[in-house]
């Protein structure tokens, strides 16, 4: 279902998931960091509580040793009370020291000098059970014993929480009494716990049920309380030491770790935002790119020129639709194909292979069109023109070749058609030449025929006289001569009709612009020019008026003159240029005539040749007929114009003729 979503909503969903994940990861990290901090604080306070218990235990042990020293002192020289007073001055945690006999009766006692005697109000007997308990333990263990804690009210309305330590006095292995030290629990906390522990924490003694007995330490309060409890088990009595630590309202950055995590989180979010921006920019660029690609594709698809790209090994990497249509293969049938390409005619594979190897070796001149023959999928061969150009990638390296392929079969067909039409024109020219000959013949034969006819008439007249002598012979001769006359007349009529046929072309005249005339012959002229390597220059102003002429015949004249000019430059002429020009005729300035000029840079005409130029059947060429120029002159003269020639200095000839404007 996810994949069926539109790309846009899918992207949004992905981004939302990413943001959600990052946020939840960050909050988890912050929470974990907070937790870690709590654990740190908790374990710190646990350690502190353990340290405090250890401090107290050590101090109590030391005190026991001090008391033992008191027991073993020689009381004969220094009285017990004096010694005890001295000790009480040194130990603020003790409230009172007592020396008791074996039945726990107080033999002597000294109170602390630092406060009012604690048992003044209720008397010592009120705490007797605790002393008994402590001394029982002491006796049993032959060592220090502690009694349960007890509350002793004081005169100032407050009270003291006390605890008794009982130490058996043993002389020579015999229990002789007890030394009882009364501890003030709050003083124990003040004096026996290291000040560094109580500076920022509250330390207290509690009963096992949680009742608070004594406390010491800072009273600062925060919202968060950390509590640690440690057992202080003494021989005969067990208490709980409780440590309370307050922390203010949790900071945004409670410690370095959290701060670090937060900083990383902010960095992550920033990177995420930047990434999102970058993504958006990329998307825009992608869109632009897709547009450009679509545009390029539309362009390639609309091209009629076939495009084909090949890599440096000659494998086809790209073909456009025009190319596929040209060769009749589908794109997938061509792409990836190496040499020989599927559209190479089998008979040309060797030649094309060599050409290809030459190109791949980098020896082919770029951008030069080469003519080739390709084969369609159907097997049909067709001529193409190929323009190859190196394919350069974004790094500027050549990765292969891009070829533009033009199907020139249509062009070849047109050329073929014009060649056929030229042949037809030449045939027409030959016909016209024959017409010219017929015209000449008719002119020449008319006289002899007329002579034959009049001789026949004369003979008939003479025969009339001779008929009188030999009517039989006269009859026979007369019919023969009559037949000669009839045949001569018939021949005359045939010749006249041929003459008329030739003359009838006069009616085929029409108004044609010189440019139209030139345009019509140009394809043939250019075809021949290409064959002979001649450059043709046309100079025909567009605003020239039309001429009245027999279009076919004038075209024939133009073709004849241009062909002669080009043939004259055929061999060793260095600069083969044929100029075709049309201009108003200078000789007919007043009347309206146009002059057509054909100038070449050929070998020119020798004097001997010039004299016979218009003689029918005179030619200097092997395959020439020698009728061209005489026909040209006839055609031009039939239009009332003039055909002239003169040398084109320094080299070549200029042939010109005039035609009337319409
Ligand atoms: P053909 O071309 O068949 O020989 P033409 O009557 O057209 O017949 O030409 C007769 C001769 O005139 C040519 O054989 C050639 O020697 C000469 N001639 C014609 N035009 C030129 C020219 N432009 N330059 C030199 N010689 C020419």
């Amino acid at each position: 279902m996810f994949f069926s979503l539109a790309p846009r909503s899918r992207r949004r969903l992905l981004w939302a998931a990413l943001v959600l994940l990052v946020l939840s990861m960050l909050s988890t990290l912050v929470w974990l960091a907070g937790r870690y901090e709590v654990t740190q604080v908790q374990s710190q306070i646990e350690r502190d509580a353990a340290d405090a218990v250890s401090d107290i235990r050590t101090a109590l042990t030391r005190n026991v040793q001090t008391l033992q020293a008191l027991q073993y002192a020689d009381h004969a020289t220094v009285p017990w009370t004096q010694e005890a007073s001295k000790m009480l001055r040194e130990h603020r945690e003790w409230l009172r020291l007592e020396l008791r006999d074996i039945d726990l009766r107080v033999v002597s006692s000294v109170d602390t000098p630092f406060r009012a005697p604690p048992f003044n109000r209720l008397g010592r007997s009120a705490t007797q059970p605790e002393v008994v308990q402590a001394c029982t333990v002491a006796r049993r263990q032959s060592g220090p014993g502690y009694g349960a804690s007890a509350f002793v009210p004081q005169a100032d309305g407050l009270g003291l929480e006390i605890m008794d330590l009982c130490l058996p006095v043993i002389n020579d292995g015999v229990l002789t009494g007890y030394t009882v030290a009364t501890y003030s629990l709050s003083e124990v906390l003040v004096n026996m716990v290291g000040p560094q522990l109580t500076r920022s924490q509250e330390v207290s003694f509690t009963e096992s049920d949680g009742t608070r007995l004594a406390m010491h330490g800072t009273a600062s309060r925060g919202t968060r309380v950390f509590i640690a409890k440690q057992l202080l088990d003494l021989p005969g009595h067990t208490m709980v030491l409780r440590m309370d630590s307050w922390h203010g309202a949790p900071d945004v950055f409670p410690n370095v770790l959290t701060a670090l995590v937060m900083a990383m989180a902010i960095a992550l979010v920033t990177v995420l935002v930047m990434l999102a921006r970058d993504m958006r920019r990329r998307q825009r660029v992608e869109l632009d790119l897709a547009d450009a690609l679509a545009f390029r594709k539309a362009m390639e698809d609309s091209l009629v020129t076939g495009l084909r790209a090949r890599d440096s090994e000659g494998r086809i990497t790209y073909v456009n639709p025009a190319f596929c249509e040209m060769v009749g293969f589908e794109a997938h049938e061509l792409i990836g194909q190496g040499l020989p390409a599927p559209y190479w005619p089998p008979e040309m594979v060797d030649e094309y292979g060599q050409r290809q190897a030459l190109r791949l070796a980098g020896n082919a001149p770029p951008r030069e069109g080469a003519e080739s023959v390709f084969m369609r999928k159907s097997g049909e061969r067709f001529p193409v023109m190929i323009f190859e150009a190196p394919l350069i990638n974004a790094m500027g390296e050549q990765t292969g070749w891009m070829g533009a392929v033009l199907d020139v079969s249509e062009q070849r067909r047109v050329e073929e058609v014009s060649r056929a039409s030229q042949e037809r024109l030449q045939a027409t020219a030959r016909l016209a030449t024959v017409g010219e000959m017929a015209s000449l013949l008719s002119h020449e034969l008319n006289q002899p025929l007329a002579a034959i006819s009049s001789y026949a008439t004369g003979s008939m007249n003479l025969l009339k006289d001779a008929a009188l002598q030999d009517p039989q012979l006269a009859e026979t001769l007369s019919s023969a001569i009559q037949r000669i006359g009839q045949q001569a007349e018939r021949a005359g009529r045939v010749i006249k009709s041929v003459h008329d046929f030739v003359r009838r072309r006069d009616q085929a005249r029409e108004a044609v612009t010189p440019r139209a005339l030139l345009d019509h012959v140009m394809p043939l002229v250019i075809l021949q020019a290409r064959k002979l390597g001649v450059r043709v220059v046309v100079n025909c102003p567009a605003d020239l008026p039309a001429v009245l002429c027999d279009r076919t015949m004038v075209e024939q004249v133009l073709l004849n003159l241009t062909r002669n000019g080009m043939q004259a430059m055929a061999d060793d002429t260095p600069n083969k240029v044929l100029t075709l020009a049309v201009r108003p005729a200078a000789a007919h300035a007043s009347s309206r005539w146009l002059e057509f000029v054909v100038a070449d840079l050929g070998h020119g005409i020798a004097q001997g040749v010039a004299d016979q130029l218009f003689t029918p059947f005179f030619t200097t060429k092997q395959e020439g007929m020698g009728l061209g120029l005489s026909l040209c002159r006839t055609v031009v003269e039939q239009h009332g114009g003039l055909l002239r020639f003169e040398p084109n200095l320094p080299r070549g000839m200029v042939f010109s003729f005039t035609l009337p404007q319409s």
Side-chain angles (χ1 to χ4, degrees):
M1 193 212 98
F2 179 76
F3 293 102
S4 64
L5 284 174
R8 204 183 166 80
S9 18
R10 196 167 65 204
R11 207 161 31 234
R12 276 203 189 141
L13 218 68
L14 276 173
W15 270 108
L18 183 65
V19 168
L20 213 72
L21 270 174
V22 166
L23 284 181
S24 52
M25 193 191 78
L26 289 180
S27 39
T28 312
L29 266 177
V30 171
W31 180 72
L32 278 177
R35 275 281 307 264
Y36 176 73
E37 186 208 9
V38 167
T39 322
Q40 286 287 93
V41 174
Q42 185 64 41
S43 52
Q44 179 62 44
I45 194 172
E46 298 276 356
R47 269 200 307 279
D48 285 353
D51 286 352
V53 165
S54 149
D55 281 357
I56 293 171
R57 210 187 290 278
T58 315
L60 287 178
T61 312
R62 226 180 4 252
N63 281 2
V64 167
Q65 286 163 358
T66 311
L67 281 181
Q68 275 167 349
L70 177 68
Q71 283 175 357
Y72 299 128
D74 182 6
H75 299 302
T77 50
V78 183
W80 183 90
T81 47
Q82 193 183 337
E83 189 79 11
S85 301
K86 190 178 154 217
M87 281 188 182
L88 279 171
R89 272 196 298 278
E90 287 164 7
H91 291 272
R92 281 175 172 264
E93 65 273 18
W94 284 334
L95 292 175
R96 179 186 170 94
L97 287 177
E98 291 170 343
L99 188 65
R100 294 194 180 212
D101 64 12
I102 194 139
D103 298 319
L104 292 177
R105 278 187 298 267
V106 178
V107 178
S108 56
S109 68
V110 183
D111 285 308
T112 179
F114 299 114
R115 56 163 61 237
F119 299 110
N120 269 6
R121 188 138 174 255
L122 283 186
R124 183 61 169 140
S125 54
T127 54
Q128 188 62 16
E130 282 81 12
V131 177
V132 172
Q133 183 206 344
C135 288
T136 310
V137 173
R139 190 178 60 236
R140 206 178 300 139
Q141 296 192 351
S142 300
Y146 292 86
S149 62
F151 183 75
V152 182
Q154 296 297 297
D156 55 6
L158 299 170
L160 277 174
E161 197 68 39
I162 62 156
M163 180 181 72
D164 289 312
L165 158 70
C166 185
L167 202 66
V169 181
I170 296 166
N171 280 327
D172 302 329
V174 181
L175 178 74
T176 56
Y178 300 95
T179 308
V180 176
T182 307
Y183 278 100
S184 159
L185 286 185
S186 57
E187 287 301 326
V188 166
L189 291 176
V190 173
N191 294 300
M192 294 183 170
V193 178
Q196 77 281 358
L197 298 178
T198 53
R199 200 167 295 141
S200 60
Q201 304 172 110
E202 190 181 86
V203 56
S204 55
F205 281 124
T206 63
E207 294 280 17
S208 39
D209 62 359
T211 318
R212 210 172 280 227
L213 302 174
M215 65 173 76
H216 169 62
T218 174
S220 66
R221 288 286 186 271
T223 49
R224 179 99 198 225
V225 186
F226 291 89
I227 298 168
K229 288 179 181 174
Q230 284 282 331
L231 275 183
L232 174 65
D233 56 333
L234 301 166
H237 183 51
T238 299
M239 277 186 300
V240 176
L241 183 113
R242 170 177 160 154
M243 200 157 248
D244 290 43
S245 174
W246 283 271
H247 269 248
D251 270 335
V252 185
F253 304 117
N255 63 14
V256 181
L257 183 71
T258 325
L260 213 68
V261 167
M262 283 309 284
M264 269 158 55
I266 291 169
L268 201 66
V269 169
T270 317
V271 167
L272 211 68
V273 169
M274 277 162 71
L275 211 66
R277 273 211 202 130
D278 185 61
M279 200 74 173
R280 203 165 307 144
R281 220 182 46 235
R282 262 165 201 280
Q283 265 171 24
R284 255 202 315 272
V285 173
E286 251 173 42
L287 256 164
D288 289 352
L289 205 68
D291 274 354
L293 266 177
F295 179 72
R296 204 196 75 172
K297 177 135 182 43
M299 227 163 67
E300 282 166 6
D301 291 354
S302 67
L303 271 183
V304 286
T305 310
L307 290 179
R308 169 207 63 184
R310 285 193 291 201
D311 65 13
S312 42
E313 267 95 55
R315 267 191 307 270
I316 300 173
T317 54
Y318 167 80
V319 283
N320 74 339
F323 186 81
C324 293
E325 205 175 307
M326 207 180 281
V327 293
F329 284 98
E330 294 289 327
H332 66 85
E333 293 175 286
L334 293 172
I335 288 175
Q337 291 287 332
L339 302 176
Y343 46 80
W344 284 4
E347 66 275 12
M348 311 288 255
V349 165
D350 285 346
E351 186 194 329
Y352 288 5
Q354 281 166 14
R355 209 162 65 186
Q356 196 60 29
L358 209 70
R359 180 171 304 122
L360 293 182
N363 294 335
R367 290 233 156 256
E368 192 160 296
E371 239 187 286
S372 240
V373 175
F374 277 3
M375 184 180 72
R376 296 192 214 278
K377 198 177 183 182
S378 58
E380 181 196 342
R381 276 43 167 186
F382 64 103
V384 287
M385 198 76 181
I386 308 176
F387 299 87
E388 292 275 11
L391 203 61
I392 311 289
N393 71 2
M395 325 288 224
E397 299 157 356
Q398 180 175 350
T399 55
W401 293 89
M402 172 61 90
V405 182
L406 278 175
D407 183 349
V408 289
S409 41
E410 182 60 18
Q411 194 180 325
R412 291 285 173 278
R413 198 183 61 77
V414 171
E415 277 175 12
E416 185 54 36
V417 167
S418 37
R419 198 179 55 76
S421 101
Q422 190 199 22
E423 271 170 12
R424 269 202 308 280
L425 258 171
Q426 277 167 355
T428 315
R430 274 197 295 278
L431 268 178
T433 311
V434 171
E436 168 73 1
M437 284 166 69
S439 180
L440 282 171
L441 281 174
S442 67
H443 183 73
E444 295 302 320
L445 289 179
N446 256 343
Q447 281 171 13
L449 276 175
I452 292 170
S453 196
S454 39
Y455 281 132
T457 312
S459 301
M460 285 291 287
N461 292 339
L462 286 174
L463 262 180
K464 271 182 196 152
D465 303 337
L468 300 172
Q469 284 117 46
D470 187 349
Q472 188 66 39
L473 181 69
E475 182 70 42
T476 315
L477 277 175
S478 153
S479 98
I481 291 167
Q482 215 168 352
R483 282 199 188 133
I484 289 172
Q486 280 169 358
Q487 287 308 316
E489 261 171 53
R490 188 165 164 246
R493 275 201 309 279
V494 169
I495 284 164
K496 189 169 180 299
S497 73
V498 170
H499 189 73
D500 283 351
F501 174 74
V502 175
R503 303 285 311 173
R504 220 183 311 150
R505 294 200 66 89
D506 290 357
Q507 278 108 52
R509 289 193 189 169
E510 55 184 314
V512 199
T513 60
R515 182 167 282 255
L517 277 172
L518 291 186
D519 284 350
H520 208 242
V521 295
M522 229 39 213
L524 293 173
V525 173
I526 285 172
L527 201 66
Q528 199 164 21
R530 207 182 294 161
K531 243 187 254 166
L532 298 174
V534 173
R535 190 159 67 86
V536 180
V537 177
V538 178
N539 183 6
C540 175
D543 54 355
L544 285 177
V547 288
L548 192 66
C549 65
D550 181 335
R551 188 177 179 151
T552 319
M553 296 310 285
V554 172
E555 282 171 9
Q556 199 54 49
V557 171
L558 278 169
L559 275 176
N560 230 314
L561 296 181
T562 50
R563 192 186 56 218
N564 280 347
M566 284 192 275
Q567 283 174 346
M569 293 188 285
D571 30 75
D572 55 349
T573 306
N575 192 13
K576 300 183 179 183
V577 181
L578 183 85
T579 312
L580 263 171
V582 187
R583 59 190 180 211
H588 297 272
S590 53
S591 53
R592 294 153 28 138
W593 290 82
L594 288 186
E595 186 176 29
F596 289 70
V597 183
V598 181
D600 65 77
L601 304 174
H603 51 64
I605 298 175
Q607 190 51 49
V609 175
D611 295 341
Q612 314 172 58
L613 217 51
F614 294 106
T615 311
F617 303 110
F618 169 78
T619 179
T620 58
K621 303 169 193 165
Q622 292 229 309
E623 76 289 4
M625 277 250 302
L627 279 171
L629 280 179
S630 84
L631 173 69
C632 288
R633 192 172 59 178
T634 313
V635 170
V636 172
E637 282 172 0
Q638 271 177 5
H639 285 81
L642 196 67
L643 177 66
R644 292 184 301 140
F645 67 93
E646 58 195 1
N648 186 16
L649 293 174
R651 192 182 157 89
M653 293 299 296
V654 180
F655 277 79
S656 61
F657 63 90
T658 50
L659 286 178
Q661 289 180 20
S662 63

